[in-house]
């Protein structure tokens, strides 16, 4: 019985000897045994073993190790490997003992110092050129077993062997997506080669799916759960110092294709069938598409009906449709490895879809002449009915109405020569297609073209020359090309080249920046010499260049100033007041002179606008007044000299007021008026004077003379005793000047004179201190009533009279004598 069981198991055979062999026991199990004797009467009592017996083989020393091999030899080391003994003596191997013997010696010496269980060992520290043989023994708890058979004598020296490569795979390998695959092989070489894996010339790196395993003799690249991206050309390289070997394998990871590329296009739709098309899958799964599976479904039902599963084209006719029903189309792609997911179309109603043709694409115009052009277009979709005619229309670009180019039908050709164009006009063209349903929409208008003969490049400009220069610029001039190539000259391109250089530089970037036949090239370096050339440009391109004959040295050219006077700079310039005064002159000189304007040797009025250009100068005064007249001078000056011109400016205006107005010879009905001419006659001869009077009691002035050319006038027909004011103004051809007016009123009365002497003066009484006098009135009172009499007295013998008093009567008493 087993030691851990209570039940006894009988041995299946009977023995008559005093020993027996028990078979069928389990190694490692412990058993108890018992024996009973038996005779004819019966079985006696059992005798039982006192201790359990453990079933195992008897323990001895191990057998000799197997397959001792030399794996590597260098000049100072030997690497050996071996396999365990076939029988370990009934106990685990505890260590291996490796021994060596130098050839020529009798004894083996132990190489390993410590317990070693590895079955690979490198003996180091050997002497180059020595020869050894090796053996190995296994040890268990009983002891050391027999040594292995010795190796062949081994001489310590470096071994070289080119790599070898033995692959377990072919040039091509096909793998289903999701499956694992491995590329394995064996290799050798001395020294040990380096193993490198590449995919499409890129080093393969390990990750969760990709595993690389390399032993001293084997190599393996394994890929788990392969994907389409694992497809590629794999290369393994085995390389050491003596050379290299490569192995290749084209791995194709295949799968079912991806869905066909949509959308599904309904090329034709009719009441009983449709024609659809699609694009192939982006990924064919690594295997050629063998066919497409097409199904249809009435949108009112849930059932998909097969159409075909054998087409290899990307177009298919869908037959047996019911008019007016809406359908969906489902398309699968199939290869050797399966069927793709489906591509499902939009809903489409089965009905005849005839319509007018589509609009053609934008037509192209070519072969343009002055009176014709060829219009070319592509055939549009015909709307389900064949195109029967094309309609070509034209219009001038600025017009709004399209006109048919011809009344004749245009078919089947897709080009037409449009006649009867007007030379120089700009035209656009469009095309419509017609079928039995009607006329379709017109195409987009063509690009505008001008009706003119084809344009060629112009000939070169004529006679380019340098006409002027400064320290940093050169002025060029030329004549237009003799032939413009039937196209308008857009402008000119000017190029310059420093003498000694090969590169020509552009002075202007675009031709339209130089439309004239002259140009100033700036930004040049003083003292250097340059070459220049000019090209003409039209719509067809640039002409050949025309060169300035001689190189030009860039430096200032000294020319003394020169003034070319315009007509407004004559010796005397008359300008009407209120008008604009303009003085101008053309200025020449190199360098360009400094320009200075002055009036009467002083700065000109701030109201004057002075403009200086590269060609001349202009002074302008708007709304001139009399004070703007005077002597103006223009001075131009540069290092080569100076020049000054002067002009007298007369501002023509109304004259100033007359001077020294005087009234004399006043009478009761008249007076005499005199004056002097104005200081300023306004630049024109005084034609006449205007004389006016006004009663001081009235607000109205009355003209008494308006044509007098003299500087005096007799004012008649005055009202005696009335007070008058007088004023005078001068006139010339530009109008009447301001009036000068009398400062005080003049009374119209005859002139007054002193009265005559009193008559018959005599005394009528005398006293010692006074005298009484009487007299008679004088014969004349002087034109006015006598207001009094002045009485004077004189002592006898004295020279002077003494005033006494003025008395109103004809008598007086002189007292104080």
């Amino acid at each position: 019985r087993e030691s851990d069981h209570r039940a006894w198991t009988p041995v299946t055979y009977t023995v008559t000897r005093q020993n027996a062999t028990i078979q069928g026991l389990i190694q490692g199990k412990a058993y108890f045994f018992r024996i009973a004797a038996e005779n004819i009467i019966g079985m006696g009592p059992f005798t039982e073993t006192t201790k359990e017996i453990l079933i195992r083989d008897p323990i001895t020393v191990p057998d000799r190790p197997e397959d001792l091999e030399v794996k590597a030899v260098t000049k100072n080391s030997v690497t050996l490997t071996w396999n365990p003994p076939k029988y370990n003596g009934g106990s685990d191997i505890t260590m291996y003992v490796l021994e060596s013997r130098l050839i020529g010696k009798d004894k083996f010496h132990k190489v390993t110092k410590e317990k070693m269980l590895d079955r690979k060992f490198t003996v180091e520290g050997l002497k180059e050129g020595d020869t050894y043989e090796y053996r190995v023994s296994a040890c268990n708890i009983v002891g050391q077993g027999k040594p292995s058979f010795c190796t062949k004598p081994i001489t310590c020296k470096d071994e070289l062997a080119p790599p070898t490569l033995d692959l377990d795979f072919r040039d091509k390998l096909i793998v289903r997506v999701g499956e694992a695959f491995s590329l394995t092989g064996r290799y050798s070489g001395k020294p040990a080669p380096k193993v490198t894996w590449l995919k499409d010339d890129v080093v393969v790196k390990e990750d969760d799916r990709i595993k690389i395993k390399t032993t001293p003799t084997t190599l393996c690249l394994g890929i788990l759960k392969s994907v389409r991206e694992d497809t590629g050309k794999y290369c393994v390289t085995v390389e050491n110092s003596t050379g290299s070997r490569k192995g290749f394998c084209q791995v194709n990871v295949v799968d079912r294709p991806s869905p066909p590329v949509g959308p599904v296009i309904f090329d034709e739709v009719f009441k009983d069938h449709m024609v659809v098309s699609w694009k192939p899958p982006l990924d064919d799964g690594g295997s050629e598409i063998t066919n497409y599976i097409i199904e249809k479904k009435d949108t009112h039902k849930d059932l998909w009906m097969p159409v075909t599963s054998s087409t290899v084209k990307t177009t298919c006719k869908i037959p047996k449709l019911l008019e007016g029903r809406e359908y969906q189309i489902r398309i699968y792609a199939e290869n050797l490895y399966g069927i793709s997911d489906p591509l499902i179309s939009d809903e489409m109603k089965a009905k005849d879809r005839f319509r007018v043709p589509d609009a053609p694409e934008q037509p192209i115009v070519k072969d343009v002449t002055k009176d014709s052009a060829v219009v070319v277009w592509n055939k549009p979709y015909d709307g389900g009915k064949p195109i029967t005619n094309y309609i070509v229309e034209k219009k001038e670009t600025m017009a709004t109405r399209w006109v048919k180019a011809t009344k004749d039908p245009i078919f089947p050709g897709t080009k037409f020569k449009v006649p009867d164009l007007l030379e120089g006009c700009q035209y656009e063209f469009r095309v419509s297609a017609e079928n039995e349903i009607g006329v379709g929409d017109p195409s987009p208008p063509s690009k505008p073209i001008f009706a003119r003969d084809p344009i060629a490049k112009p000939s070169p400009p004529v006679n380019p020359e340098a006409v002027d220069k400064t320290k940093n610029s050169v002025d060029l001039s030329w004549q237009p090309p003799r032939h413009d190539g039937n196209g308008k000259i857009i402008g000119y391109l000017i190029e310059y080249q420093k003498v000694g250089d090969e590169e020509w530089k552009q002075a202007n970037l675009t031709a339209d920046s130089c439309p004239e036949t002259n140009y100033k090239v700036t930004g040049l370096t003083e003292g250097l010499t340059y070459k220049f050339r000019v090209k003409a440009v039209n719509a067809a391109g640039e002409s050949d260049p025309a060169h300035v004959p001689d190189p030009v040295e860039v430096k200032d050219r000294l020319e003394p100033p020169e003034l070319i006077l315009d007509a407004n700079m004559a010796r005397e310039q008359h300008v009407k007041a209120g008008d604009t005064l303009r003085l101008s002159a053309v200025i020449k000189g190199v360098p360009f002179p400094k320009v200075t304007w002055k009036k009467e040797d002083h700065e000109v009025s701030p109201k004057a606008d002075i403009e200086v250009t590269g060609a001349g100068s202009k002074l302008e005064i708007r709304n001139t007044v009399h004070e703007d007249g005077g002597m103006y001078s223009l001075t131009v000056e540069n290092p080569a000299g100076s020049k000054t011109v002067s002009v007298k400016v007369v501002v023509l205006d109304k004259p100033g007021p007359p001077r020294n107005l005087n009234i004399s010879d006043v009478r009761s009905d008249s007076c005499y008026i005199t004056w002097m001419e104005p200081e300023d006659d306004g630049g024109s001869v005084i034609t006449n004077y205007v004389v006016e009077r006004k009663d001081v009691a009235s607000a109205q002035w009355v003209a008494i003379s308006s044509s007098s050319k003299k500087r005096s006038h007799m004012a008649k027909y005055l009202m005696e005793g009335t007070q008058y004011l007088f004023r005078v103004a001068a006139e010339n051809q530009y109008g009447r000047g301001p009036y000068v007016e009398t400062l005080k009123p003049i009374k119209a009365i005859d002139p007054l004179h002193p009265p005559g002497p009193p008559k018959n003066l005599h005394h009528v009484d005398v006293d010692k201190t006074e005298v009484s006098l009487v007299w008679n009135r004088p014969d004349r009172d002087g034109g006015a009533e006598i207001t009094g009499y002045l009485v004077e007295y004189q002592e006898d013998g004295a020279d002077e009279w003494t005033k006494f008093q003025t008395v109103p009567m004809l008598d007086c008493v002189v007292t104080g004598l």
Side-chain angles (χ1 to χ4, degrees):
R1 68 175 175 88
E2 296 179 10
S3 60
D4 53 351
H5 288 181
R6 290 182 176 274
W8 291 88
T9 302
V11 178
T12 58
Y13 62 92
T14 301
V15 294
T16 58
R17 301 183 304 272
Q18 283 78 41
N19 59 70
T21 300
I22 311 300
Q23 297 183 348
L25 303 180
I26 300 174
Q27 186 173 355
K29 287 272 189 177
Y31 292 90
F32 286 96
F33 298 93
R34 68 183 183 180
I35 303 169
E38 186 178 14
N39 60 18
I40 60 172
I41 301 301
M43 183 183 296
F46 282 94
T47 300
E48 186 177 338
T49 56
T50 57
K51 293 182 180 179
E52 62 182 21
I53 300 171
L54 181 65
I55 304 303
R56 62 182 179 185
D57 290 335
I59 299 176
T60 63
V61 295
D63 290 349
R64 66 179 79 228
E66 302 279 334
D67 304 327
L68 177 61
E69 292 183 3
V70 178
K71 290 297 184 181
V73 178
T74 68
K75 63 183 179 180
N76 55 13
S77 68
V78 175
T79 300
L80 301 106
T81 62
W82 58 89
N83 290 326
K86 290 181 179 180
Y87 179 59
N88 62 6
S91 176
D92 292 338
I93 303 297
T94 57
M95 62 179 286
Y96 291 97
V97 176
L98 181 65
E99 297 174 302
S100 68
R101 181 176 71 87
L102 182 63
I103 298 300
K105 302 289 185 179
D106 295 332
K107 293 184 179 181
F108 278 88
H109 297 280
K110 186 177 179 181
V111 174
T112 52
K113 303 298 184 184
E114 298 176 357
K115 287 186 178 181
M116 180 180 68
L117 284 173
D118 290 341
R119 296 193 300 278
K120 180 179 180 180
F121 188 78
T122 299
V123 184
E124 297 179 338
L126 304 180
K127 183 178 180 182
E128 185 175 5
D130 286 350
T131 302
Y132 296 86
E133 61 181 5
Y134 294 89
R135 68 184 184 184
V136 65
S137 303
C139 299
N140 64 8
I141 58 175
V142 176
Q144 182 175 342
K146 293 180 180 181
S148 66
F149 297 109
C150 293
T151 64
K152 293 180 181 180
I154 302 165
T155 302
C156 295
K157 61 180 180 180
D158 285 333
E159 293 186 11
L160 296 176
T164 63
L165 183 60
D166 182 17
L167 301 177
D168 298 332
F169 50 86
R170 297 184 179 181
D171 293 343
K172 293 183 180 179
L173 177 64
I174 296 177
V175 183
R176 290 291 297 268
V177 164
E179 294 181 352
F181 69 92
S182 62
L183 304 177
T184 61
R186 289 159 300 286
Y187 71 100
S188 65
K190 296 183 180 181
K194 177 184 177 183
V195 179
T196 304
W197 288 94
L198 303 175
K199 174 180 173 285
D200 297 329
D201 297 328
V202 177
V203 175
V204 178
K205 295 182 178 180
E206 285 192 283
D207 58 22
D208 293 340
R209 291 191 313 108
I210 300 174
K211 306 297 181 182
I212 298 174
K213 182 178 181 181
T214 304
T215 71
T217 58
T218 63
L219 47 84
C220 177
L221 170 65
I223 296 183
L224 307 174
K225 296 181 181 179
S226 59
V227 295
R228 288 278 294 135
E229 289 72 16
D230 292 330
T231 297
K233 186 175 184 180
Y234 288 80
C235 170
V236 59
T237 302
V238 180
E239 182 179 13
N240 66 9
S241 59
T242 64
S244 66
R245 291 292 298 274
K246 291 184 179 181
F248 296 93
C249 182
Q250 178 67 45
V251 176
N252 189 14
V253 181
V254 296
D255 192 10
R256 62 178 186 144
S258 63
V261 176
V264 176
I265 298 173
F266 293 86
D267 297 317
E268 298 180 25
V269 178
F270 298 93
K271 63 183 179 181
D272 59 352
H273 71 277
M274 301 177 184
V275 178
V276 297
S277 62
W278 60 93
K279 294 181 180 179
L282 295 176
D283 180 11
D284 63 3
S287 178
E288 184 178 356
I289 301 296
T290 57
N291 60 283
Y292 292 96
I293 301 171
I294 296 92
E295 299 174 334
K296 66 181 179 182
K297 186 186 80 167
D298 187 332
T299 56
H300 294 88
K301 301 178 181 179
D302 293 332
L303 179 63
W304 287 94
M305 300 294 293
V307 175
T308 180
S309 61
S310 60
T311 182
V312 294
K313 298 180 180 178
T314 57
T315 182
C316 180
K317 180 178 178 181
I318 313 297
K320 300 180 182 179
L321 305 182
L322 298 177
E323 185 175 6
R325 295 289 184 92
E326 290 186 339
Y327 290 90
Q328 280 184 295
I329 311 300
R330 185 164 73 178
I331 303 167
Y332 299 87
E334 184 174 6
N335 64 9
L336 292 175
Y337 302 100
I339 299 174
S340 71
D341 293 334
L343 166 67
I344 300 177
S345 73
D346 295 332
E347 297 176 357
M348 178 58 67
K349 183 177 288 187
K351 64 177 182 178
D352 283 338
R353 212 164 51 165
F354 300 133
R355 62 175 191 269
V356 296
D358 289 348
E361 297 175 355
Q362 183 183 39
I364 298 173
V365 184
K366 60 183 183 179
D367 299 338
V368 180
T369 68
K370 64 182 179 182
D371 58 1
S372 69
V374 175
V375 180
V376 181
W377 63 93
N378 293 325
K379 178 182 176 181
Y381 172 61
D382 60 9
K385 294 292 184 180
I387 293 174
T388 59
N389 183 33
Y390 291 104
I391 300 169
V392 178
E393 297 176 294
K394 66 181 180 180
K395 81 174 181 73
E396 294 185 25
T397 302
M398 302 306 293
T400 57
R401 182 167 170 246
W402 289 90
V403 180
K404 285 187 178 181
T406 180
K407 296 182 179 178
D408 299 329
I410 305 172
F411 189 78
T414 55
K415 69 177 181 179
F416 179 72
K417 184 176 182 179
V418 181
D420 304 326
L421 303 182
L422 296 177
E423 184 175 3
C425 290
Q426 191 178 33
Y427 288 92
E428 294 177 350
F429 303 91
R430 69 181 186 184
V431 182
S432 305
E434 183 178 7
N435 63 11
E436 65 181 61
I437 306 299
V439 179
D441 292 334
S443 69
S446 68
K447 294 181 179 179
I449 58 97
F450 283 97
R452 58 191 175 199
D453 288 333
I455 297 174
K457 293 181 181 179
S459 61
V462 177
N463 297 334
E465 58 180 345
V467 296
D468 198 4
K469 62 181 180 179
T470 68
K471 64 182 179 180
N472 56 11
S473 67
V474 172
D475 288 61
L476 302 178
S477 177
W478 58 90
Q479 296 175 11
R482 292 186 174 90
H483 304 288
D484 60 8
N486 294 324
K488 178 184 176 182
I489 299 297
I490 300 171
Y492 298 89
L493 291 175
I494 295 87
E495 297 179 328
Y496 62 92
Q497 179 192 60
K498 192 187 304 182
V499 172
D501 288 356
E502 295 183 359
E503 179 186 4
W504 286 89
K505 296 182 180 179
Q506 284 190 303
N508 60 329
L509 297 178
T510 58
D512 54 10
S513 63
C514 178
E516 305 297 332
T517 57
N518 55 76
Y519 190 80
K520 179 187 284 290
V521 181
T522 59
L524 305 179
T525 304
E526 184 176 8
L528 296 182
T529 303
Y530 293 87
K531 295 179 181 179
F532 298 90
R533 67 183 186 186
V534 184
K535 300 176 184 178
V537 180
N538 66 6
E542 303 173 3
S543 72
D544 293 333
H547 291 261
V548 175
D550 299 316
V552 180
E553 183 180 359
V554 178
K555 63 181 180 179
D556 275 337
R557 175 171 51 84
L558 288 178
E559 288 184 4
E562 182 179 352
L563 284 170
I564 302 175
L565 304 181
D566 293 344
N568 56 26
M569 287 285 285
R571 288 184 177 275
E572 188 168 296
Q573 179 70 20
H574 290 192
V575 60
K576 189 175 180 181
D579 288 351
T580 300
L581 169 65
R582 291 184 178 87
L583 303 177
S584 60
V586 176
I587 301 172
K588 295 184 177 180
V590 179
F592 190 79
K594 176 184 177 184
V595 179
T596 305
W597 287 92
K598 289 192 175 183
K599 177 188 175 188
E600 311 289 355
D601 295 331
H602 296 90
E603 297 294 329
V604 296
S605 169
K607 67 187 281 189
D609 292 330
I610 297 175
E611 180 183 349
V612 178
T613 67
S617 181
K618 179 173 69 174
L619 179 143
E620 189 175 279
I621 300 177
R622 296 181 181 85
N623 300 318
T624 52
V625 296
H626 181 70
E627 290 74 14
D628 293 327
M631 187 65 70
Y632 285 79
S633 65
L634 169 61
T635 301
V636 291
E637 182 179 10
N638 72 2
S642 66
K643 191 170 184 179
T644 300
V645 295
S646 299
V647 58
K648 181 180 180 182
V649 175
V650 177
V651 180
L652 301 176
D653 199 1
K654 298 177 289 187
R659 299 174 295 153
N660 300 338
L661 178 61
N662 184 45
I663 309 298
S664 61
D665 296 338
V666 179
R667 298 286 188 271
S668 60
D669 59 353
S670 66
C671 66
Y672 191 64
I673 305 171
T674 60
W675 61 86
M676 296 179 66
E677 70 277 0
E679 289 185 355
D680 177 17
D681 61 5
S684 180
V685 177
I686 301 295
T687 57
N688 60 283
Y689 294 95
V690 176
V691 184
E692 296 179 346
R693 76 179 187 197
K694 184 182 77 164
D695 186 340
V696 295
S698 171
Q700 186 71 31
W701 287 91
V702 179
I704 56 177
S705 174
S706 59
S707 59
S708 174
K709 295 185 178 181
K710 300 185 295 182
R711 294 189 295 278
S712 62
H713 181 75
M714 176 64 74
K716 298 181 180 181
Y717 311 112
L718 304 181
M719 299 289 293
E720 184 175 4
T722 302
Q723 292 185 330
Y724 292 94
L725 291 171
F726 296 90
R727 66 181 185 181
V728 181
E731 285 187 350
N732 62 11
Q733 66 180 16
Y734 300 105
R736 180 181 299 176
Y739 286 93
V740 60
E741 189 176 330
T742 54
L743 299 177
K744 295 180 180 179
I746 305 298
K747 192 173 185 179
I749 57 174
D750 289 331
L752 298 178
H753 301 286
K759 298 177 64 178
N760 195 20
L761 174 62
H762 61 279
H763 62 276
V764 292
D765 192 12
V766 177
D767 200 349
K768 60 177 181 180
T769 58
E770 59 183 32
V771 176
S772 298
L773 301 175
V774 295
W775 60 84
N776 294 328
R777 290 181 177 273
D779 292 336
R780 59 180 190 280
D781 58 10
E785 183 180 357
I786 295 174
T787 58
Y789 297 92
L790 175 60
V791 179
E792 297 177 323
Y793 63 89
Q794 179 187 55
E795 290 185 16
D796 189 18
D799 293 332
E800 295 184 359
W801 289 86
T802 302
K803 291 181 179 182
F804 175 65
Q805 67 181 56
T806 298
V807 297
M809 304 302 292
L810 297 175
D811 56 53
C812 177
V813 177
V814 180
T815 61
L817 301 176

